[in-house]
Amino acid sequence: MLRLENITTQYDNSVIVLRDISLKVKKGEITCILGSNGAGKTTLLKTVTNLVKPLQGQIYFEDKRIDHLKTHQIISLGISVVPEGRRLFPEFTVYENLRIGAFSEKNLAVIKNRAEELFRVFPVLRERQYQLAETLSGGEQGMLTIARALMALPQMLLLDEPSLGLAPIMVRELFKVVKRINDRGVTILLIEQNANKSLSIASRGYVLQKGKIVAEGTKEELKHSEVLRLAYLKG
């Protein structure tokens, strides 16, 4: 579904952040990108959506080259992004934030039906739908951010560090939700530091270290990878 070929990325004239990255995300699967802080995980996501233009290489979505497209054109192909830090509209209600996720849909009945469907996946959001987003807990805000992205009915969801800053009990719940979303047919690229939780739900993954892929394989292969352990120690 998503394919990166020999991608190299740098910011302005600074040091190269990603070097010769090639990877595939298969339709219907969860693929995780693992690595410590500074490994280049978020830059990889920004490169996919052309928030940062690659210096070289090609990116394909559903066999269509997209690295020359603008960000909104890439999103319109069926890719939704859940950025690090959530970035909700804090003074809007939960339901208003969901409506923003369906910005291209003008039919209010359709929007309501989509929200109702997501309330089945995120029942706590049904209870909180008239509350301001800023009054939610960190875990609830994380779920709202994912639900907002799903309002666009994406084929693929890019998740950037969704567990960051959450209490362990909310991390467990969050990963259960991610797995349920995948079970409903959404392909997921999960960018995470939490290797154990990511590999518990992913089909396969890649390990980034200082902008390079240093390991890849099925979740079983990566769980026992010495390279993965060293990548987290060295950054």
Side-chain angles (χ1 to χ4, degrees):
M1 176 171 256
L2 179 70
R3 186 169 84 251
L4 279 65
E5 296 182 352
N6 309 114
I7 289 293
T8 295
T9 300
Q10 70 178 145
Y11 291 102
D12 300 323
N13 294 317
S14 63
V15 67
I16 289 175
V17 182
L18 298 176
R19 190 183 300 276
D20 198 29
I21 299 292
S22 295
L23 60 83
K24 294 180 180 178
V25 180
K26 294 182 179 179
K27 190 167 188 170
E29 293 188 347
I30 299 175
T31 299
C32 59
I33 308 294
L34 306 172
S36 60
N37 270 335
K41 302 186 303 298
T42 294
T43 299
L44 189 150
L45 185 149
K46 289 181 177 179
T47 302
V48 169
T49 54
N50 209 13
L51 289 170
V52 180
K53 193 167 184 62
L55 199 62
Q56 65 181 41
Q58 299 87 42
I59 303 175
Y60 297 87
F61 180 68
E62 296 281 57
D63 293 323
K64 176 181 180 179
R65 188 170 175 181
I66 64 171
D67 51 274
H68 63 289
L69 300 179
K70 295 181 179 179
T71 300
H72 73 272
Q73 294 173 314
I74 294 171
I75 299 301
S76 71
L77 294 175
I79 298 175
S80 283
V81 182
V82 177
E84 180 183 349
R86 305 183 185 108
R87 301 181 192 174
L88 295 168
F89 293 91
E91 296 182 0
F92 288 10
T93 66
V94 167
Y95 189 77
E96 287 168 339
N97 271 275
L98 291 177
R99 284 189 60 179
I100 290 169
F103 65 92
S104 63
E105 177 57 60
K106 307 305 178 188
N107 188 315
L108 294 181
V110 171
I111 293 172
K112 184 177 180 180
N113 287 338
R114 289 185 191 178
E116 283 296 324
E117 184 67 21
L118 287 170
F119 287 151
R120 296 187 184 97
V121 180
F122 304 92
V124 68
L125 297 184
R126 181 192 297 278
E127 299 170 12
R128 307 278 194 270
Q129 63 179 300
Y130 302 117
Q131 287 184 215
L132 299 182
E134 65 184 357
T135 67
L136 302 181
S137 70
E140 291 166 350
Q141 288 184 4
M143 292 181 187
L144 176 55
T145 309
I146 295 173
R148 183 179 63 184
L150 291 172
M151 285 290 289
L153 302 183
Q155 298 179 60
M156 185 173 189
L157 190 62
L158 309 183
L159 293 170
D160 190 7
E161 303 278 13
S163 72
L164 191 66
L166 298 184
I169 189 170
M170 291 309 304
V171 171
R172 289 194 296 272
E173 184 59 31
L174 180 75
F175 277 90
K176 288 178 185 177
V177 166
V178 172
K179 184 62 171 66
R180 287 203 298 269
I181 291 166
N182 177 245
D183 289 341
R184 294 163 73 93
V186 180
T187 303
I188 294 174
L189 177 60
L190 174 62
I191 294 175
E192 258 291 345
Q193 285 191 62
N194 193 324
N196 288 332
K197 287 294 184 184
S198 298
L199 293 174
S200 72
I201 63 171
S203 300
R204 59 181 294 104
Y206 296 83
V207 182
L208 272 182
Q209 180 182 340
K210 296 181 179 178
K212 296 181 181 179
I213 292 177
V214 295
E216 63 180 278
T218 65
K219 63 180 179 181
E220 290 81 9
E221 291 168 339
L222 289 178
K223 279 179 182 178
H224 304 291
S225 170
E226 179 69 8
V227 176
L228 176 59
R229 187 183 71 82
L230 291 174
Y232 273 80
L233 291 176
K234 294 181 179 180

